[in-house]
Amino acid sequence: MRPSLRDKIIETCDRKIAQKGPNVGLSFYAFFANRNDDPALLMEAARWWIETHQLDHFEKAVKIRAMVEAGQ
C-alpha cells in the first residue's frame, strides 16, 4: 500500500473515531470523496480491503487503523 493511502486511512479512522467513538464502523469508501477522482487509489484500497483481507463491507475503524499501522 502506498504511503499516501496509508496516511489517508489512518487520518480518516482517527477523525471518525473522534467524532463517533471507538465503535464506529466504516467501509473503504470512507477514504474517498463522493466523486471518483483517483480510480487507481480507490482500486488499491478495494484490493487491500476485499481481496487481501476479505473484510466485511463495514468494519470497526479501530480495527482498520490497527491493521494499517501494523503494516498489514
Side-chain angles (χ1 to χ4, degrees):
M1 178 186 304
R2 65 181 92 172
S4 62
L5 179 55
R6 185 176 307 278
D7 293 345
K8 185 178 223 179
I9 290 172
I10 292 170
E11 176 187 322
T12 302
C13 287
D14 286 344
R15 185 176 69 252
K16 295 287 186 181
I17 293 166
Q19 289 172 344
K20 299 186 179 204
N23 289 324
V24 67
L26 48 80
S27 77
F28 68 88
Y29 291 113
F31 312 123
F32 300 93
N34 288 336
R35 214 176 51 145
N36 186 5
D37 56 355
D38 192 343
L41 193 63
L42 176 63
M43 288 307 297
E44 185 176 338
R47 264 188 236 99
W48 180 87
W49 192 284
I50 297 166
E51 290 179 356
T52 304
H53 295 289
Q54 300 177 347
L55 298 170
D56 289 337
H57 184 75
F58 284 95
E59 292 286 349
K60 301 283 187 207
V62 293
K63 174 183 177 178
I64 299 302
R65 182 182 62 194
M67 290 174 70
V68 171
E69 289 176 336
Q72 295 182 335

